[in-house]
Amino acid sequence: MAPKADDNNRTVYDKVIVDIKDYVFHYEVTDPDAFHHARVVLLDSFGCAIETVNTSPECKNMLGPFVPGSTTPDGFRLPGTNYQLDPVKGAFDFGSMIRYLDHNDALGGADWGHPSDNLGALLAVSDWLDRSSTNGSLAHQGPPLTMRTLLIATIKAYEIQGCFQLHNAFNAVGLDHTLLVKVASTAVVSWLLGLTEEQTLSALSQAWMDGHALRTFRAAPNTNPRKGWAAGDACMRAVILPLLTKSGQPGGPTPLTAPRWGFYECLFQGKQFSFPRPYGSWVISHTVFKLVPAEGHGLSAVESASKLCPILKESGIDPARDIAKIKVRTHHAAVLIINKTGALYNAADRDHCMQYMIAVVLLKGALVEAVDYSNSSPYATDPRIADLRAKIELTEDPQLTADYHDLDKRSAASGLTVVLNDGTELDEVLVEYPVGHPGNAGTLAGVQAKFKRSMKLAFKDDEVEKIVAALEDEKMPVSRFVDLWVRKNERMRKL
């Protein structure tokens, strides 16, 4: 008999929570391919952070201690800066830096998310623990604080978040996918901190009981820059909750299944989670790298538009003058998330609008860049963009949606068909696997080139070589790796 809502007899922890804990504590990662991809995602994510700190004044203004001029002894050294922060603010800052420009990796499924968001919590805690234990201010009882441990932590956080996303649509009930960052990072941070398995169950229950962000800041009419720091916020909570548990705070066994008050009944329309595969090391090898700063569901459309550019040019077709309509054949997630009409008010609004991305690519004759979304970009106020956006129509193709969800195919396709003013219809340009997708042979080379471009903003070639070499040293302490990323003259203006 199912328990009643007023039954106060305690029972065992929800199986979903137990399964996460068991995976984190007992699954041994042995797949060399998983470790290879973990190194690639670390470089890509750090590169995104360096790009942000050197190009985004909005994000830079949020970085550093809340009390200007303060520093945390043995604290986390925030990459790309000279800040030394407590692990909570450090997790927020680094998570936000990775995510802010919408340039970090992604994974699709029933929901969409960015597994590298977790690195904000994982790196901040690992570096702080390493420095503190080395200097004797903290007795560390968790795993060795080496690069191998960081790689394992990354693989497991990716796996937890990704396995949830594949079959569970949090966006369908209005919740933001960053709640999975909070859950995944809470589990792995608990392990890094040296919490017991029982304490980890408590921390995970707190993560599910925690308040969860609405995703309204990603969609019309409320799209705003919070989508760039929502991951940092989740990372911050994923550090706070295990630390509270470490201090003695207990959890509750059934935050998901409790009648009346549990997550399923209150927030998930009474449905329970489903999982297409057991936890392992699959997710880290199947993420999509964003080689173009665009919302992930728009990557294939952006690439299709870039392939159209030389066709239009060779035919003497002016996108602003000669096009009557652009038909976009795509999958459900793209129609749901980035199909947007009306005014666009900020960079976050623009990079979540497929019509804007396509219009910019066609008018500039090149791939969209992060600066093209800013309020100061000439495209933000160009009337030709608004005119062309109004001619772009998105339509879901059920087969493309099925291919998007097929774990064996996992395409993210969009096809563009241009109709000219005289009624001529050009051949469709379809991209199924854009560069950055694991199904595209050019992805690894593209990730490496993207990383080098970002690093040139703040690092010399010999410094970059040392960083890349350090990633291969699995015995290197995390703090020594983080030291390679410090910019000693880089302190930012505080709000």
Side-chain angles (χ1 to χ4, degrees):
M1 179 182 295
K4 297 179 180 179
D6 56 0
D7 184 352
N8 199 41
N9 291 306
R10 290 294 176 102
T11 182
V12 296
Y13 274 89
D14 287 328
K15 185 178 184 302
V16 168
I17 293 176
V18 174
D19 288 347
I20 295 172
K21 181 270 298 180
D22 286 347
Y23 168 67
V24 170
F25 278 82
H26 301 297
Y27 182 85
E28 183 180 359
V29 181
T30 59
D31 184 3
D33 188 61
F35 282 101
H36 165 72
H37 278 88
R39 291 183 174 90
V40 175
V41 302
L42 281 176
L43 287 181
D44 183 68
S45 302
F46 272 79
C48 289
I50 297 304
E51 180 187 17
T52 298
V53 82
N54 284 279
T55 64
S56 174
E58 280 185 353
C59 189
K60 286 170 68 173
N61 285 342
M62 296 190 295
L63 304 181
F66 284 123
V67 179
S70 65
T71 190
T72 299
D74 301 325
F76 168 50
R77 301 297 299 272
L78 185 65
T81 79
N82 196 28
Y83 290 130
Q84 191 157 20
L85 306 169
D86 69 84
V88 175
K89 185 56 166 61
F92 175 87
D93 283 6
F94 195 53
S96 299
M97 287 164 60
I98 292 171
R99 181 75 196 103
Y100 204 82
L101 294 179
D102 209 346
H103 212 175
N104 62 323
D105 61 16
L107 182 78
D111 210 328
W112 179 265
H114 309 274
S116 52
D117 292 350
N118 291 280
L119 288 169
L122 305 186
L123 189 73
V125 169
S126 297
D127 185 54
W128 161 65
L129 288 174
D130 189 17
R131 296 180 194 279
S132 298
S133 58
T134 298
N135 291 339
S137 59
L138 179 150
H140 178 57
Q141 298 177 330
L145 299 164
T146 62
M147 289 304 296
R148 181 173 179 83
T149 296
L150 180 61
L151 292 171
I152 291 170
T154 301
I155 292 167
K156 291 189 173 182
Y158 267 62
E159 189 74 4
I160 295 167
Q161 178 176 346
C163 284
F164 269 95
Q165 282 177 211
L166 292 176
H167 273 196
N168 303 288
F170 296 89
N171 54 20
V173 294
L175 296 176
D176 193 57
H177 54 72
T178 53
L179 75 87
L180 295 178
V181 176
K182 178 167 49 179
V183 170
S185 286
T186 292
V188 180
V189 165
S190 296
W191 173 67
L192 290 171
L193 285 170
L195 268 60
T196 66
E197 293 186 42
E198 185 68 23
Q199 287 175 314
T200 300
L201 292 171
S202 292
L204 278 166
S205 74
Q206 293 286 0
W208 284 112
M209 288 188 280
D210 211 30
H212 303 296
L214 300 176
R215 77 176 313 279
T216 186
F217 53 81
R218 298 186 191 275
N222 295 308
T223 312
N224 67 74
R226 179 169 181 155
K227 75 179 188 63
W229 55 263
D233 186 44
C235 288
M236 183 166 60
R237 297 299 297 169
V239 178
I240 290 173
L241 296 175
L243 288 175
L244 289 173
T245 302
K246 186 178 178 69
S247 75
Q249 287 298 305
T254 57
L256 297 172
T257 62
R260 185 189 301 159
W261 307 117
F263 182 94
Y264 289 150
E265 192 160 333
C266 289
L267 298 174
F268 217 57
Q269 299 177 338
K271 296 180 292 185
Q272 297 195 9
F273 299 139
S274 66
F275 300 90
R277 57 186 303 115
Y279 297 124
S281 57
W282 181 87
V283 171
I284 197 140
S285 301
H286 290 82
T287 54
V288 175
F289 291 98
K290 289 183 160 188
L291 305 188
V292 178
E295 199 282 337
H297 298 99
L299 292 173
S300 56
V302 165
E303 190 167 323
S304 294
S306 71
K307 291 184 175 183
L308 273 170
C309 288
I311 296 173
L312 299 180
K313 185 176 181 180
E314 290 171 9
S315 301
I317 297 170
D318 182 344
R321 182 191 64 212
D322 300 328
I323 291 177
K325 180 189 296 186
I326 298 176
K327 296 184 288 187
V328 181
R329 182 168 64 97
T330 189
H331 50 86
H332 173 73
V335 176
L336 175 69
I337 295 171
I338 54 174
N339 183 21
K340 190 179 293 182
T341 61
L344 301 174
Y345 297 96
N346 51 58
D349 228 358
R350 297 180 194 104
D351 77 12
H352 266 52
C353 175
M354 184 185 280
Q355 291 92 334
Y356 181 86
M357 291 185 275
I358 292 172
V360 169
V361 172
L362 292 178
L363 288 178
K364 73 183 289 190
L367 290 170
V368 67
E369 300 173 272
V371 294
D372 296 329
Y373 301 116
S374 69
N375 290 341
S376 60
S377 168
Y379 295 111
T381 55
D382 190 332
R384 298 177 303 160
I385 293 289
D387 290 343
L388 196 52
R389 278 181 59 211
K391 299 174 182 178
I392 300 173
E393 299 178 358
L394 274 62
T395 303
E396 177 190 355
D397 182 326
Q399 185 58 54
L400 296 186
T401 297
D403 293 344
Y404 174 84
H405 290 290
D406 185 339
L407 292 184
D408 293 325
K409 188 166 186 178
R410 297 195 57 74
S411 64
S414 292
L416 272 60
T417 302
V418 172
V419 180
L420 302 179
N421 290 332
D422 64 4
T424 302
E425 190 167 299
L426 305 184
D427 291 339
E428 180 187 58
V429 176
L430 174 70
V431 172
E432 287 192 280
Y433 299 101
V435 178
H437 192 286
N440 188 303
T443 289
L444 181 58
V447 172
Q448 292 170 338
K450 171 191 170 187
F451 173 72
K452 290 178 181 178
R453 286 195 304 272
S454 296
M455 294 298 285
K456 286 184 180 297
L457 296 170
F459 291 83
K460 298 177 182 177
D461 290 345
D462 62 325
E463 293 177 308
V464 175
E465 291 174 5
K466 288 180 182 178
I467 287 170
V468 174
L471 259 185
E472 299 297 327
D473 184 356
E474 293 189 353
K475 295 181 180 179
M476 176 180 284
V478 172
S479 61
R480 279 184 52 199
F481 179 71
V482 173
D483 283 342
L484 298 174
W485 296 86
V486 173
R487 299 290 83 181
K488 293 186 178 181
N489 61 346
E490 187 65 31
R491 282 185 179 270
M492 288 77 170
R493 179 182 63 84
K494 292 302 295 174
L495 291 173

